[in-house]
Each structure stands twice: as C-alpha cells, then as structure tokens.
Amino acid sequence: MTWPGFLCHPCWAVTTVLLALVVRLQRRAQWDPQACTVSLKGKTAIVTGANTGIGKFIALDFARRGARVILACRSEARGTAAVKEIKEKSGNSDIHLRLVDLSSLDSVREFAKGILEEEKALHILVNNAGVSGLPRQITKDGLDMSFATNHLGPFLLTNLLLELMKRSAPSRIVTLTSVNHKKGKVDFSHFRGENLTYCMDKVYNNTKLHNIICTNEFASRLQGTGVTANSVHPGVVTTEVMRHYSFTIRFLFNLIGFFFFKTPEEGAVSSIYCAVAEETQGITGKYFDSDCSLALPAPLARDAALAVKDFEFCERLTSKL
C-alpha cells in the first residue's frame, strides 16, 4: 500500500480519532470543580481579565458558589457581555464590572481606590489577565507594555488591596503564571523595555518568572496574616492570549490545540483549586502545576534574596512620585 493510500484508509481515520480522544481525556486535572461543594456565599472575589477565556470560567465558578464577583476588565462592552452571561448561567445577580487597564498604573490606582471605597471585604483576588507576543511598546509610565500588563499592574493592584484582604482573612491571592517561566530571565532593565528580544513569547516568559518571584515574596511578607499567595500554571490553553501573533501561528496553535491543548474551561481548574479548595487552605508561597499538584518552579523563582530585591525594585517602580 502506498503512503497516500495508507493515509486515506479508514483505519487511519479511526486511529487518529481514538488517539485524539485519549489525549483529550488525559488533559483533565485530577481535581473536579463540580465535585467540590465549597460555598462562597458572603465572600467577595475579584478576577482580572474575566471577560474572556480562563478568567471568565473562574468568575463563573465563583458565581455558581454564591460569591459576590467583580470582573476587572479593560473593555466595557466585552465586560458587560461577560457579566450578563455569568449572571444567566449561574443564577447569581451579584456580579459586577469594574474597568481597569493593568498597563496603566494610574488606572490600577483608580480601580483599587474604588474597591476600597465600595467593598467591605475581599476574600479572593485572581490575577489572571495577561498578554503575549506584543511588539515593543512603552507606556506613559515609561514601562514596557508587556511587563506593565503582566506583572507591574497586577503587582501594584495586589499591594493596594492587601490591607482589605488582611481584614477579610482568611483570604487568598492566586496569580496565573506559566511553565514557560523556566525559560525566563531576570534583568531589571527589561522593565523599561531595554535589552529585550521581542520574538514569540520571550518577553512573556520573563514576566511570568517575575510573577512567581514576587508572589513568593508576598507570601513571605504575609505570614501570620491569614492571607495566602500562590502561583498557578493553567496549562497550555487555547485562549485569546495568542491574538497578537500572526495568523499563521494562531492557526497552527489552534489546530494543534484542538487535540492537545486545554480549553479555557479546563485551564481554569487549577486556579479555582487554589482559590476555593479546602485542601489548599493555608498553603502559601507555592507553585501549582496545571494538574493541581504542587511543583518546583525554576531555581531563580526559589531564590529568596532575589525575591527581596525584585519585590523592592517593583515597589519603587510602582510608587507614586
């Protein structure tokens, strides 16, 4: 049989379908959110970037558990649509939209100010929003756009909301990172767009490494307060994070992803696990893999001295002069 004839044979098609099904089944995490009976009634949660992808499914899960959920989004139109959808699917009317552009430190401060004025408590903060593949752009704060959006914006937001979370304890901070942080490097000139290689996800990888480093330092500084801080890898997920890449790359990513990558709903599981599961209560300063298991991050992410230096550097960059 020739190769073209073999590839057209029914057995090849059946085998391909069976393999795809096996791969899809293996993508599932060990923990099932639907089997978790934890209620969030009386609790308040904020999810950044919750108008689409992983963030929307995280917010939907919290809503189904009865939480007051605040969607922190940049787009009013898409955020409003997400609020409507979550209300309809969850039956929970206590879902709200608050606008924030994480790439702008002033926008983050304005958002946090509104939360502190309007909310009496905050029990869960999920730093989900992120971008990848952006070309070189410098914000009005003089920061690289990717670093501002993925790291410094969430860093400042977390810092500004800490006192409210302490008063609401026990409370949890969950920051989405990536296994790609292991390819990242630490160079403080990167924050201002210097010495960066804008190719594929290289800048993204650097920001995700800083996410873990500073989350660990948050955890260290929050010891004894009842506030935990952990980093989570959601897995390789087919979301809109690839929207800044070329059509060809996006097409190949989605084609391969249909068989091998997680859906946004599947990608939300590990973050939900860290935010609500009883077995993660009190765990802090850890890195969770996409299957909801504890894992060791890269050596740089475990360097305590570097964490202090990185944290203090980020504090200086985000302080209002």
Side-chain angles (χ1 to χ4, degrees):
M1 183 182 293
T2 62
W3 273 109
F6 172 73
L7 294 175
C8 293
H9 195 278
C11 288
W12 174 256
V14 172
T15 302
T16 301
V17 171
L18 288 175
L19 177 61
L21 289 174
V22 169
V23 171
R24 289 182 72 87
L25 288 172
Q26 290 180 334
R27 296 186 324 199
R28 295 181 180 178
Q30 299 175 354
W31 184 78
D32 182 4
Q34 296 183 11
C36 175
T37 59
V38 171
S39 171
L40 294 180
K41 289 184 178 179
K43 306 291 186 180
T44 300
I46 294 176
V47 184
T48 65
N51 60 278
T52 187
I54 294 173
K56 186 163 71 172
F57 281 102
I58 294 172
L60 176 59
D61 179 271
F62 294 170
R64 285 172 171 163
R65 297 178 191 278
R68 172 180 172 81
V69 185
I70 298 170
L71 279 60
C73 306
R74 185 174 60 177
S75 168
E76 184 171 10
R78 299 182 71 183
T80 300
V83 167
K84 181 181 178 182
E85 180 183 344
I86 291 171
K87 283 182 177 180
E88 291 175 351
K89 289 184 175 180
S90 67
N92 183 347
S93 61
D94 202 5
I95 315 299
H96 308 273
L97 173 66
R98 298 291 182 269
L99 299 180
V100 62
D101 179 355
L102 290 171
S103 70
S104 166
L105 299 185
D106 283 343
S107 177
V108 172
R109 292 187 186 99
E110 188 65 25
F111 173 87
K113 179 182 177 183
I115 294 297
L116 296 176
E117 291 175 349
E118 299 168 11
E119 303 299 328
K120 297 179 180 179
L122 177 59
H123 304 92
I124 300 172
L125 170 61
V126 180
N127 291 310
N128 160 76
V131 295
S132 179
L134 284 178
R136 188 177 191 274
Q137 298 180 52
I138 302 300
T139 70
K140 67 176 184 179
D141 299 302
L143 304 169
D144 172 80
M145 179 67 76
S146 295
F147 267 83
T149 304
N150 290 0
H151 182 61
L152 288 169
F155 175 88
L156 176 60
L157 176 63
T158 303
N159 237 344
L160 293 174
L161 298 179
L162 277 186
E163 291 304 317
L164 179 60
M165 298 196 78
K166 288 178 184 178
R167 296 197 300 269
S168 311
S171 49
R172 309 188 193 190
I173 300 165
V174 179
T175 298
L176 273 73
T177 180
S178 169
V179 70
N180 278 9
H181 79 274
K182 295 180 180 180
K183 302 177 185 177
K185 298 179 181 179
V186 174
D187 181 339
F188 294 120
S189 69
H190 288 170
F191 286 86
R192 296 198 179 277
E194 301 168 5
N195 303 312
L196 277 171
T197 301
Y198 292 87
C199 176
M200 295 295 289
D201 56 1
K202 287 189 176 181
V203 177
Y204 175 82
N205 298 342
N206 296 334
T207 64
K208 295 293 105 176
L209 175 57
H210 284 283
N211 283 164
I212 301 178
I213 292 172
C214 285
T215 298
N216 289 347
E217 183 60 18
F218 269 121
S220 178
R221 297 182 181 215
L222 289 168
Q223 288 286 349
T225 65
V227 183
T228 61
N230 294 294
S231 305
V232 181
H233 168 50
V236 183
V237 186
T238 51
T239 68
E240 293 184 13
V241 74
M242 298 292 292
R243 63 186 176 275
H244 299 291
Y245 290 82
S246 68
F247 172 80
T248 302
I249 292 176
R250 283 186 283 114
F251 175 77
L252 291 174
F253 181 84
N254 290 326
L255 179 63
I256 297 171
F258 177 79
F259 296 103
F260 297 101
F261 301 161
K262 291 187 175 185
T263 63
E265 185 172 11
E266 292 168 336
V269 172
S270 53
S271 298
I272 297 168
Y273 175 72
C274 285
V276 307
E278 292 179 343
E279 51 265 48
T280 55
Q281 179 67 45
I283 295 177
T284 191
K286 302 299 182 183
Y287 168 71
F288 286 83
D289 211 338
S290 58
D291 61 355
C292 302
S293 62
L294 286 170
L296 275 179
L300 282 175
R302 308 196 303 270
D303 187 327
L306 176 61
V308 172
K309 185 177 180 180
D310 196 347
F311 195 97
E312 291 178 348
F313 185 82
C314 292
E315 280 188 316
R316 289 195 296 273
L317 279 182
T318 56
S319 64
K320 195 165 186 179
L321 301 179

